[in-house]
Amino acid sequence: MEKRAKHVTVVVGTSGDTGSAAIKSVQGAKNVDIIILLPKGHCTKIQELQMTTVLKENVRVFAVEGNSDELDEPIKAVFEDVAFVKKHNLMSLNSINWSRILVQMAHHFFAYFRCVPSLDVYPLPPVEVVVPTGAAGNLAAGCIAQRMGLPIHLVTAVNCNDIIHRTVQQGDFSVSETIKPTLASAMDIQVPYNMERIFWLLSDCNSQVTRALMEQFERTRSVRLSKELQSKLSAAVTSESVSDETITQTMVRCWEENQYLLCPHSAVAVSYHYQKLHKQFPSTPRCCLAPASAAKFQEAVLAAGLTPEIPSEILALERKETRCTLMRKSDDWMLMLRDTIEDMGQQWRDRFLNAAE
């Protein structure tokens, strides 16, 4: 981009992990600015510090007085303004960006290759992949990999914010009255926007059916899937909903049996594995996807009665200066976001012109 004199602004909504990873990838870059929206009080302290302690000029962090679903709304509204998106070369690193789904598809292939003893057999043996799920991006990636011929059976494991579980089991794609705070905070989501991609895929890529379904969901926050679509979904995906108590029990068991400290989100997936072990030894290899390090979730580790393993790099965060702007409930979040995009773009143009003189 520097050779082409191009500038990109990355806009990211995060429930914890995506934000810090995105900042790490672009901090200090000359031609890339990044704006992060995090839900104030809904990330762990360490997750917030990983974002708010980055003081580079090209990084702006906002703490939103709302939950993960609510902070997605101004981002979605900004991206719906096509002229504004083109003017500022906006992009996202959330799973709203198709590129992220492509990368996650590779994870499913990698997991499969690690789980099967040999690829020199026909037909290839099946593998069960357990996906801890919030916005359903990694689940959508798995569904696409499935359709490409990868012989995996998908299990989506969620916490008590169980809209995906209810959708798979009953065809009930409806928002609950409130989001319940859990130990697996990054999965405290009631609007899993990647389900739209899964519905489209399973309806034989029927855009009209998918659009009608999602427009009804936008209006009423409640949709009952057709019997045909729900049948296809439940054939492609199994689901499980997990309580905080089960999360901590799973973390304890994994530590006692393997001396491995699970993060609470990984524990959501592993709890399904333990549940199935009680019933029968798996005849099909099973892989549980682990999305994060337990070091960032000290509260959950302590709730499980375990001792957090905190790297020195994490401990050092508490001694660093922080920078973060509050988005209050009374503020116009979309206006604040647009103004910040405009401001950062103008600063880049000023720097570029000064460098050219």
Side-chain angles (χ1 to χ4, degrees):
M1 285 190 293
E2 190 169 352
K3 289 180 179 178
R4 297 177 181 177
K6 292 287 187 180
H7 172 258
V8 168
T9 301
V10 182
V11 183
V12 176
T14 183
S15 53
D17 286 325
T18 298
S20 56
I23 289 172
K24 182 73 173 178
S25 68
V26 303
Q27 61 177 329
K30 291 181 180 179
N31 292 59
V32 181
D33 290 328
I34 187 165
I35 302 169
I36 302 290
L37 274 62
L38 64 87
K40 181 176 171 57
H42 295 278
C43 302
T44 68
K45 181 180 179 182
I46 288 173
Q47 285 177 311
E48 284 201 15
L49 287 173
Q50 285 186 309
M51 293 178 270
T52 59
T53 55
V54 181
L55 308 181
K56 301 291 186 181
E57 285 187 7
N58 70 323
V59 177
R60 302 279 180 91
V61 178
F62 290 90
V64 180
E65 286 187 340
N67 58 47
S68 297
D69 290 333
E70 291 168 336
L71 67 79
D72 279 337
E73 292 173 9
I75 297 174
K76 182 179 178 181
V78 165
F79 275 96
E80 285 175 348
D81 186 338
V82 177
F84 188 79
V85 170
K86 289 183 177 179
K87 177 183 176 183
H88 295 282
N89 292 323
L90 298 186
M91 64 170 289
S92 175
L93 293 180
N94 293 105
S95 52
I96 192 173
N97 186 335
W98 171 243
S99 298
R100 176 159 167 171
I101 302 295
L102 288 173
V103 172
Q104 290 173 317
M105 285 165 56
H107 296 167
H108 288 271
F109 281 89
F110 178 80
Y112 179 83
F113 296 148
R114 290 296 298 270
C115 287
V116 295
S118 173
L119 297 176
D120 296 326
V121 293
Y122 184 83
L124 288 171
V127 169
E128 190 171 56
V129 180
V130 189
V131 187
T133 307
N138 212 351
L139 181 64
C143 287
I144 297 167
Q146 232 179 21
R147 290 293 287 264
M148 291 172 68
L150 190 67
I152 57 174
H153 181 75
L154 293 165
V155 179
T156 175
V158 301
N159 59 24
C160 61
N161 296 292
D162 63 349
I163 180 171
I164 297 176
H165 177 57
R166 287 184 282 108
T167 305
V168 172
Q169 297 291 322
Q170 306 161 22
D172 174 21
F173 189 53
S174 63
V175 173
S176 298
E177 290 184 8
T178 59
I179 290 181
K180 301 169 187 173
T182 72
L183 293 174
S185 55
M187 295 159 59
D188 292 346
I189 289 173
Q190 283 279 25
V191 184
Y193 52 83
N194 282 288
M195 290 302 292
E196 180 175 356
R197 287 177 166 136
I198 295 172
F199 295 152
W200 178 79
L201 194 69
L202 296 178
S203 63
D204 297 322
C205 308
N206 190 320
S207 298
Q208 289 185 327
V209 167
T210 307
R211 181 183 296 116
L213 190 153
M214 295 309 298
E215 286 177 349
Q216 181 184 340
F217 181 74
E218 288 285 336
R219 288 194 310 272
T220 66
R221 286 303 200 232
S222 179
V223 169
R224 174 68 62 175
L225 300 190
S226 68
K227 287 185 178 180
E228 181 183 8
L229 182 55
Q230 199 267 324
S231 176
K232 288 181 177 179
L233 179 61
S234 59
V237 181
T238 303
S239 67
E240 191 65 48
S241 176
V242 177
S243 67
D244 272 0
E245 182 182 6
T246 301
I247 289 172
T248 54
Q249 289 173 350
T250 301
M251 293 170 70
V252 169
R253 178 173 174 180
C254 186
W255 177 256
E256 290 177 346
E257 293 182 0
N258 304 286
Q259 294 292 290
Y260 183 85
L261 198 55
L262 290 169
C263 91
H265 309 82
S266 307
V268 170
V270 175
S271 69
Y272 172 85
H273 171 65
Y274 287 157
Q275 179 192 125
K276 292 302 177 184
L277 280 183
H278 286 308
K279 297 179 180 178
Q280 63 182 44
F281 191 80
S283 55
T284 300
R286 180 179 297 128
C287 170
C288 297
L289 302 186
S293 165
K296 292 185 278 189
F297 302 94
Q298 297 177 39
E299 298 89 343
V301 175
L302 291 170
L306 300 170
T307 303
E309 298 173 345
I310 309 174
S312 58
E313 298 90 338
I314 296 292
L315 290 172
L317 291 174
E318 299 192 9
R319 300 189 295 272
K320 291 186 175 183
E321 180 185 350
T322 62
R323 184 178 66 196
C324 182
T325 302
L326 182 64
M327 278 188 173
R328 298 176 178 84
K329 280 191 177 294
S330 58
D331 292 332
D332 186 328
W333 297 351
M334 187 181 74
L335 180 61
M336 289 179 71
L337 181 56
R338 288 177 69 102
D339 286 350
T340 304
I341 293 167
E342 293 270 15
D343 178 56
M344 296 185 84
Q346 185 59 54
Q347 288 185 30
W348 177 84
R349 286 189 291 273
D350 291 342
R351 290 195 302 269
F352 178 76
L353 289 174
N354 288 336
E357 289 176 356

